[in-house]
Amino acid sequence: MEERWRILAALTFARAAMGFQFQSVAAVSPFFAADLGLDKAQLGWLIGLYLLPGIAIALPGGLLGARFGDKRLTLTALCLMAAGGLWLAFAQTFIEANAARLASGAGAVVLNVLLTKMIADWFAGRERILAMSMLINAWPIGIGIALLVTGPLAELANWHWAMALTAVFAAAGFLAVWTTYRPPVAAAPPVMTGIGLAILTRGEWRLLAVASLPWLLYNAAYQILISFLPSFFLESGLSVARSGALTALNTVLFIVSVQAGGVILKRSKHPDLLCHLTIVGWCTTLLLLSGGTMPVLWIVLGGLLGGFPASAFVTLPSEFLRPESRGVGMGVFYTIYYLGCALLPGAAGILYDLSGSARPTLWFAIAISFVCVPMLMLFRHEIHRTNR
């Protein structure tokens, strides 16, 4: 196996540890909440706390990676995840659980920024899209493993062992990256002084502002979808079990679609056109789904179409960022991403409260996902103008 594919496997494994750790609290929530005496609001807060540090830490993570080296900071991030997971395993109070979750979440945010940058360093052209699709899929795969493993483990032993297992997974990711990864020859070396936002040129700032939007809007739309689909199905008269099964089916098909998109876009002569068509197709299936008829058909088609453009959207910054500005640029990219993904699902929740129905949240998801089409067009226009 060529070295870059071994490196991709190690980095993908590390990202799967993120998904595993993120989902672990929700997967063992009946045992966890009962033992610590948590209500639903406190439990929901702990679940979301894992991603909250992204607003403040994504940019410093990119800056520190450029200064001290990607591998060193990635290993530090995995250590934070392992320490946070172990701390949570021994937590006795809600305050302790918050501190532990915040520590592991901070490590996960830094890891997320750097893994994307490291893949961009090792892969170029259409091959980069395929590699990114594999990296993206590691998150939901890690979530799926957590759903399969941590709940039964908590039932057989207790939730403390399930939380400790998240630390073991992160530690295994540490070993995989430590023994496998090295920066490519063409990568910019760490610079111990003078690294900051000034390294980004005016053109890179302009392109980052545009390139961040498709990835932000696309992810926010998907988060809104999986958050409110079960409520929509319940309103439509489906049972709790069937509502959950249809939402899970959509998630599984998204994983397939993301990977298929990476393979097909790598070979396509017109990747942007395929992204436009699949986004429009996804929006159409959601619109038909909101009509309340044939939910299984639209869930299947939507899942198969929706994940397709993911790898293309996340690779946009690597098309224009220089090796020496890539770490800082990805920090900016993910700061915008985390900010948008914090605000837009909240706006969908307000729509739900005002209307008393989940249907407007689906319409909102359709609207913001459709905006990805003109945003991708605008990005191509700006790239063309910059390269002229």
Side-chain angles (χ1 to χ4, degrees):
M1 184 188 292
E2 292 186 38
E3 184 179 21
R4 67 185 185 282
W5 297 107
R6 288 196 300 272
I7 287 171
L8 174 62
L11 300 184
T12 300
F13 183 83
R15 194 167 194 266
M18 284 174 51
F20 186 88
Q21 192 168 65
F22 169 74
Q23 190 63 27
S24 59
V25 169
V28 302
S29 57
F31 312 97
F32 182 76
D35 201 13
L36 295 186
L38 307 182
D39 58 28
K40 295 296 184 186
Q42 290 172 319
L43 184 62
W45 165 258
L46 277 176
I47 292 170
L49 186 59
Y50 195 76
L51 298 177
L52 188 63
I55 298 173
I57 295 178
L59 180 54
L63 292 169
L64 290 172
R67 175 164 294 187
F68 297 110
D70 300 326
K71 182 174 182 177
R72 185 181 302 173
L73 201 60
T74 295
L75 294 176
T76 302
L78 286 162
C79 283
L80 264 177
M81 288 171 57
L86 198 59
W87 189 0
L88 188 57
F90 289 98
Q92 298 295 318
T93 66
F94 179 58
I95 293 175
E96 277 188 85
N98 271 271
R101 191 72 166 164
L102 194 61
S104 55
V109 167
V110 173
L111 187 68
N112 203 26
V113 172
L114 293 177
L115 291 181
T116 309
K117 188 261 181 187
M118 291 153 79
I119 293 296
D121 284 345
W122 268 98
F123 292 85
R126 301 293 177 80
E127 206 173 59
R128 183 180 287 159
I129 294 177
L130 176 60
M132 285 294 185
S133 69
M134 297 173 71
L135 185 71
I136 292 167
N137 260 345
W139 170 266
I141 288 171
I143 288 174
I145 296 171
L147 290 169
L148 291 172
V149 173
T150 53
L153 179 59
E155 207 166 25
L156 287 172
N158 56 54
W159 66 266
H160 301 279
W161 284 102
M163 293 300 106
L165 189 58
T166 72
V168 172
F169 204 153
F174 177 98
L175 289 174
V177 175
W178 181 44
T179 57
T180 305
Y181 186 80
R182 70 165 182 83
V185 175
V191 180
M192 299 306 293
T193 59
I195 287 293
L197 293 175
I199 198 171
L200 295 171
T201 66
R202 184 178 299 178
E204 286 174 328
W205 273 110
R206 187 179 73 251
L207 289 169
L208 270 173
V210 180
S212 300
L213 294 177
W215 185 235
L216 182 166
L217 295 168
Y218 173 79
N219 277 276
Y222 183 66
Q223 287 180 25
I224 292 167
L225 183 67
I226 60 173
S227 297
F228 294 101
L229 260 183
S231 298
F232 171 76
F233 287 138
L234 288 172
E235 289 174 13
S236 302
L238 300 184
S239 67
V240 173
R242 187 164 169 78
S243 298
L246 283 174
T247 306
L249 175 62
N250 187 260
T251 301
V252 170
L253 292 173
F254 246 79
I255 294 173
V256 175
S257 179
V258 168
Q259 198 57 64
V263 173
I264 295 170
L265 289 170
K266 175 180 178 288
R267 299 172 181 274
S268 173
K269 294 181 180 179
H270 305 286
D272 281 5
L273 178 61
L274 286 177
C275 289
H276 296 322
L277 292 174
T278 50
I279 284 291
V280 171
W282 186 39
C283 290
T284 302
T285 62
L286 292 181
L287 189 60
L288 293 168
L289 179 66
S290 70
T293 59
M294 297 188 294
V296 176
L297 175 61
W298 307 131
I299 280 291
V300 170
L301 290 178
L304 292 174
L305 291 171
F308 194 92
S311 55
F313 289 161
V314 77
T315 56
L316 293 180
S318 62
E319 293 187 27
F320 59 87
L321 290 171
R322 295 161 293 141
E324 61 270 26
S325 66
R326 195 171 285 153
V328 178
M330 292 309 299
V332 173
F333 178 77
Y334 272 103
T335 299
I336 297 172
Y337 160 79
Y338 280 114
L339 183 61
C341 285
L343 295 177
L344 290 174
I350 292 172
L351 276 176
Y352 194 149
D353 289 338
L354 290 175
S355 65
S357 170
R359 184 171 277 106
T361 67
L362 298 189
W363 295 339
F364 184 55
I366 293 167
I368 63 176
S369 59
F370 185 78
V371 175
C372 293
V373 173
M375 287 300 101
L376 184 56
M377 292 178 177
L378 178 61
F379 173 75
R380 288 299 165 210
H381 171 77
E382 292 297 322
I383 280 280
H384 178 72
R385 193 176 73 158
T386 301
N387 294 335
R388 244 183 345 204

